[in-house]
Amino acid sequence: MWKGRFSKATADLVQQYGESISYDWRLYKHDIAGSIAHARAQVSAKLLSSDEFAAIEKGLREIEKEIEAGEFNFSIELEDIHMNIESALTERIGAPGAKLHTARSRNDQVATDVRLWIKDQCDAADAALVSLLKTLVKLAAANADVILPGYTHLQRAQPVSAAHHLLAYAEMFGRDRTRLAAAKASANWCPLGSGAIAGTTLPIRREVTAKLLGFVDAKGRPQVTRNSMDAVADRDPTTEFCFAAALCGVHLSRLAEDMVLWSSAEFGFARMPDEFSTGSSLMPQKRNPDSMELLRGKAARFQASLTHLLTLTKGLPLTYNRDLQDDKPPLFDAADQLILSVAVADATLAGTKFHKARCLAAASDPALLATDLADWLVRKGMPFRHAHHAVGRLVALAEKSGVPLDKVSDEAALTADKAFTKGWREVFSLKRGFAARENTGMPGPKAVAREIARWKQSLR
Ligand code: ARG
């Protein structure tokens, strides 16, 4: 491509070291779409005749089919997907092929391809998340009457419903969708026309290309990048995508950990579907939650991709530097693993069954309603801090005499605090506890039903 300038060919080692075709071949569809749009814009700038355009488009479509069929011969000497395609085109159609790269550099070309690719991946990941959300909401609705302990510090804290617990994850994945949409919006600006760094002297119309490639706002108006130097140096969309993936990976890992705990004999709250559990080659009785452990582990990989990109771009001088070629493996990996991981979580949850009786038994320790008792004292006019101490004394009494909190005698209760007058035991009803928590965001059955309805509505 640059042999005019040099007297010696590039060393084999440099070719081997510098090639990106082994991974960036995956951009072929977007590279071809970008080239066709660029060629079309060249026609309207009178840089190409319509015959030349027709030859280019036909040639590129043929190449696309060949790649799809696995019949295309990728060559490391041609370094990357851009040069592989362009050189195959020129071989095929001659001179018009050599005109394609007019008013373009691989710097704005690769930035365009990757942005198009990211936009597609955001859509694919979003669709996977919508499906996962629907599954979560369905599972929540089916288990609205399953009561289990909520935990803080992995110690039983207060009773909640399985639905409320599951919908906590729906909130996280809902926010992940917002972050993916933001990454997509930041990818939605067309860099073509930025050239290598300083644009081009040739009369191209950037808005035409942008529009053809779908770099448009909600009203269909073309969006072109506003600074050629930024456009070829910028890897924000890539980094933002990987951030969205990393945070979604964190959410998935927390869900996975809950599933690992819930499916253990110690908890026994839930049973994962057979197809998503694995046995042991040695211990015949084992039923391992491997897919959830893998999901928990993938978070490390997503974070590695994000760290890779942040570190790759930190301190790079403007504008394009070859370092940037290495932005693709972490991006591709993050997208692949994200879409797979969300699908695994989705399918696992779809077949998960709750063990209602075991959940209820775990949530039935009256001590989990100690806070409700403190609130009862507050309603009688006691400052909360004092109420907390009074109930604390009652809990200590119960522990000392080896009885559940609600079985402390009235006399003994009065020694803990004289405010424990008749009726203090009324708080020890799960039904009462839930019914008192119907405010927005709380685990009361009506509040949860409202959230389920809201989710169903928004996911239609
Ligand atoms: N393979 C290169 C990359 O992905 C394409 C851009 C190369 N530009 C350059 N000036 N060498 O970054």
Side-chain angles (χ1 to χ4, degrees), residues 20 24 79-80 82 106-107 110 320 322 324-325 328:
S20 55
D24 69 12
E79 193 181 303
D80 57 25
H82 326 294
R106 275 185 300 152
N107 295 353
V110 72
Y320 179 84
R322 192 64 182 280
L324 292 176
Q325 175 168 294
K328 284 166 230 45

Side-chain angles (χ1 to χ4, degrees), residues 353-428:
K353 299 263 178 292
F354 279 90
H355 201 315
K356 193 173 167 185
R358 286 216 45 170
C359 291
L360 185 62
S364 294
D365 177 356
L368 300 194
L369 294 167
T371 316
D372 293 37
L373 184 55
D375 289 350
W376 184 84
L377 292 173
V378 165
R379 283 178 189 276
K380 294 189 155 276
M382 191 183 284
F384 180 76
R385 288 292 170 214
H386 300 172
H388 187 284
H389 283 176
V391 177
R393 286 190 295 272
L394 192 72
V395 170
L397 263 176
E399 243 171 42
K400 216 164 123 197
S401 39
V403 295
L405 188 57
D406 62 339
K407 295 290 179 298
V408 177
S409 72
D410 284 342
E411 278 155 35
L414 283 170
T415 68
D417 199 290
K418 60 182 186 333
F420 286 121
T421 51
K422 209 166 103 48
W424 66 275
R425 260 178 259 266
E426 75 189 29
V427 304
F428 295 106

